Amino acid sequence: MSIYQIYDDRFRYLTIGPAALEPLATGLRWAEGPVWFDDMQCLLFSDIPNNRMMRWVPGGGASVYREPSGYTNGHTRDRQGRLISCEHGARRVTRTEWDGSLTVLADSHLGKRLNSPNDVVVQSDGSIWFTDPTYGILSHYEGHQAAPEQATRNVYRLDPETGDLRAAADDFGQPNGLAFSPDESVLYVADSAASHDPAAPRHIRAFDVSAGRLSGGRVFCHVDAGIPDGIRIDVKGNLWTSAGDGVHCFAPDGTRLGKILVPEGVANLCFGGPKRNRLFITATTSLYSVYTATEGCQRP
Ligand code: MG
């Protein structure tokens, strides 16, 4: 049976018919936050409940990279290539310096602790955008159970030079994955609130971005299986999102193009490999990959 469900012929040109879904690692509890290091030819990702980060190397399998990890979730790299991480444990966003030391970039807003930073993306001007839902403090499983101190679950913009932290959007149930369009005129943000309330959103919103501020916030697409969690954009501006039954792909106009079916619920994904055409998928207990006919958006 094919792993591809095609709703629009355009999807045939984004995928490779014979390309299989390759299991790369398993034995994880909740795999999340994949980030590709082209200069080191490896993938880092989180195994949140096990409080560890993993490193997968082509031909070498997966091994523990950092433990304890502070219950890291989403990762990205900044303009200098440094690792930026969302940590549930200490409820903060950190940067790993080249010497391995950690710099805390944000852990509070308006004098109160953040909820549990979930996912993060860096704009080409160096600003760091992240989401702050409550998943990491709902129980002891993915961090430390605690009452939220923030009144809302926000999307934040951080200027790492000045430390200025601003809530850019505050009208989410549970903001989760986020990604910029190739020209950075649009920021897509998933709302995964349906994880705990079937009547709540399971959609991805599109915000217009201008001078470090967001406006609009229209509903871009709905996910019809599970919830949208991590998202990535390819060079053509197509949006690839995690979902309960695999990875769903939407055109820039919001049309659902197709799905890649994965046997476990998908939490996040990223493009990687030397040609950036390999989709890495963190899916519950396992890491998978599949080659595509497109490439991940790599901003200059
Ligand atoms: Mg997430």
Side-chain angles (χ1 to χ4, degrees), residues 3 21 243-247 260-266 281 283 288:
I3 59 169
L21 187 69
D245 58 353
V247 174
I260 300 173
L261 299 177
V262 177
E264 301 181 71
V266 174
I281 301 166
Y288 299 87

Side-chain angles (χ1 to χ4, degrees), residues 187-241:
L187 179 68
Y188 298 99
V189 186
D191 193 332
S192 57
S195 61
H196 290 71
D197 176 1
R202 55 183 84 239
H203 59 217
I204 296 170
R205 296 170 64 189
F207 291 87
D208 298 317
V209 184
S210 179
R213 296 186 183 276
L214 301 182
S215 60
R218 66 192 166 87
V219 174
F220 170 76
C221 68
H222 293 272
V223 165
D224 66 359
I227 54 165
D229 195 331
I231 56 182
R232 290 292 187 276
I233 309 295
D234 70 23
V235 287
K236 300 267 176 56
N238 300 300
L239 183 149
W240 301 71
T241 178

Side-chain angles (χ1 to χ4, degrees), residues 90-94 103-108 114 117 130 158 163 165:
R91 300 160 66 173
R92 64 188 187 180
V93 177
T94 58
T103 299
V104 178
L105 299 177
D107 60 5
S108 65
L114 297 175
F130 66 93
L158 171 70
L165 180 69

Side-chain angles (χ1 to χ4, degrees), residues 62-79:
S63 57
V64 174
Y65 173 74
R66 182 187 294 171
E67 186 180 28
S69 63
Y71 295 94
T72 57
N73 188 336
H75 302 282
T76 193
R77 300 180 74 184
D78 70 6
R79 299 287 293 158

Side-chain angles (χ1 to χ4, degrees), residues 71 137-146:
Y71 295 94
I137 55 174
L138 285 177
S139 74
H140 289 302
Y141 192 57
E142 291 192 18
H144 311 295
Q145 190 172 30

Side-chain angles (χ1 to χ4, degrees), residues 32 73 118-119 176-177 229-230 267-268:
E32 250 284 7
N73 188 336
N118 187 289
D119 217 340
N176 206 315
D229 195 331
N268 214 328

